[in-house]
Amino acid sequence: MADELTPGHAPAPWLQRGDSVPDSSEAELEAFFGTCETLHGFAASLTFDAVDGFLTALAALPQPPATDEWLPLLCGDDFERAFADPESSAKARSALERRLAVLCAQLDPAAMLDDPEALRLAPLMAEYTDEDRQQLRAEGLSETDAALFQTGMPWAEGFFEAVRLFEAAWTPPPGEEPAAAFSVAFAQIDALRMTPGEDAWKEHLATYWPKEPPTRDDLITEVCFAVQDLRLFWVDFAPVTAPRKALALPGRNDPCHCGSGKKFKKCHGAAA
């Protein structure tokens, strides 16, 4: 569905976050949007929000893969075709890497643990309104196709594409608790890919929003917290290293533990 959407809308600042949360500068955003616009000319699915969703999934891992690993998976050979000369390739690569670095900073576990209720993630999503969809229908698009223009839909497609491509890295820690936690978080993100009115959408509302249907902003806020939770899951369910048991040393005048027959102070004790 993401390839049917175009990056014709600027991202909307609907999320209120603290001033201390790292964010992309205007120059970084300009470079990122420019890079994605060029890529979109070669691959329709590479909208700026789909790319941002892809990078967000990488940032939510304990350790993002190296650029040489994820860039070919994201772009295929379209990156080389879009940025043929070394200088433009280096600038485009830097723009994507810088955006990933900002997302990693927003999802910093230590900062999130300091204030678990704070909203830190600031995704880049093209905003589509009811008026936009009405205009699309007036221009001849079917109601079904117009309904695909939902804020956050291509972003979520990009996120799950990264999860699919790095499936091994996204395997939840063993146990029922982390599996259930992952399932709930993924369900919140997956809601952005649903078309309002379809059966999956109705089931999601009945499960997670039984009292009052959410606005699109409500859904996106839940998605941001879900991604933050996913990043923290790796911390919460990290394997615990068994403590090493220290052996008590013999007394200075006791026989050395090595069996030499000497006193400890004249054997291994002297070396210590």
Side-chain angles (χ1 to χ4, degrees):
M1 286 182 287
D3 58 353
E4 300 178 31
L5 301 172
T6 59
H9 292 60
W14 54 78
L15 300 176
Q16 300 298 317
R17 300 173 304 121
D19 294 336
S20 62
V21 179
D23 206 350
S24 298
S25 66
E26 290 186 11
E28 289 170 338
L29 287 175
E30 183 179 355
F32 177 75
F33 288 136
T35 298
C36 294
E37 184 177 2
T38 301
L39 287 171
H40 182 66
F42 288 83
S45 62
L46 294 178
T47 60
F48 74 82
D49 36 6
V51 173
D52 195 66
F54 187 97
L55 295 179
T56 300
L58 301 185
L61 288 170
Q63 181 64 44
T67 306
D68 288 338
E69 185 177 356
W70 60 257
L71 187 58
L73 295 177
L74 171 64
C75 304
D77 61 358
D78 293 313
F79 187 87
E80 286 74 17
R81 294 197 300 141
F83 307 102
D85 65 275
E87 183 179 358
S88 63
S89 176
K91 288 182 178 179
R93 182 184 175 109
S94 176
L96 297 175
E97 289 176 334
R98 183 54 195 155
R99 178 59 187 167
L100 176 58
V102 170
L103 290 167
C104 289
Q106 291 178 355
L107 296 176
D108 175 59
M112 288 190 289
L113 288 172
D114 285 341
D115 190 358
E117 301 302 318
L119 184 64
R120 292 180 56 85
L121 181 63
L124 302 176
M125 300 177 180
E127 184 182 32
Y128 296 97
T129 65
D130 289 337
E131 290 73 19
D132 293 324
R133 288 181 282 274
Q134 291 174 2
Q135 180 63 34
L136 290 170
R137 290 196 294 271
E139 294 173 357
L141 205 63
S142 69
E143 184 174 352
T144 300
D145 289 340
L148 295 175
F149 286 77
Q150 300 288 337
T151 303
M153 185 178 284
W155 185 94
E157 293 282 7
F159 185 96
F160 281 113
E161 178 66 3
V163 172
R164 182 187 70 83
L165 291 170
F166 293 94
E167 182 179 3
W170 269 105
T171 302
E176 294 183 4
E177 186 179 357
F182 268 60
S183 178
V184 171
F186 281 146
Q188 299 296 341
I189 302 170
D190 193 34
L192 293 183
R193 300 195 293 180
M194 300 174 186
T195 303
E198 67 179 10
D199 291 342
W201 171 256
K202 294 176 182 178
E203 183 178 347
H204 181 82
L205 294 188
T207 302
Y208 296 101
W209 305 87
K211 295 183 179 180
E212 184 177 356
T215 65
R216 202 67 183 176
D217 289 359
D218 292 335
L219 287 176
I220 294 168
T221 299
E222 287 302 311
V223 164
C224 291
F225 280 117
V227 175
Q228 293 181 191
D229 288 342
L230 285 170
R231 180 63 187 92
L232 287 175
F233 288 156
W234 304 113
V235 178
D236 295 339
F237 297 107
V240 178
T241 303
R244 295 179 61 185
K245 186 176 181 179
L247 297 176
L249 293 177
R252 284 173 47 78
N253 293 311
D254 291 337
C256 187
H257 57 278
C258 72
S260 65
K262 298 179 181 180
K263 291 184 179 181
F264 177 69
K265 66 182 179 181
K266 294 192 176 288
C267 191
H268 279 77

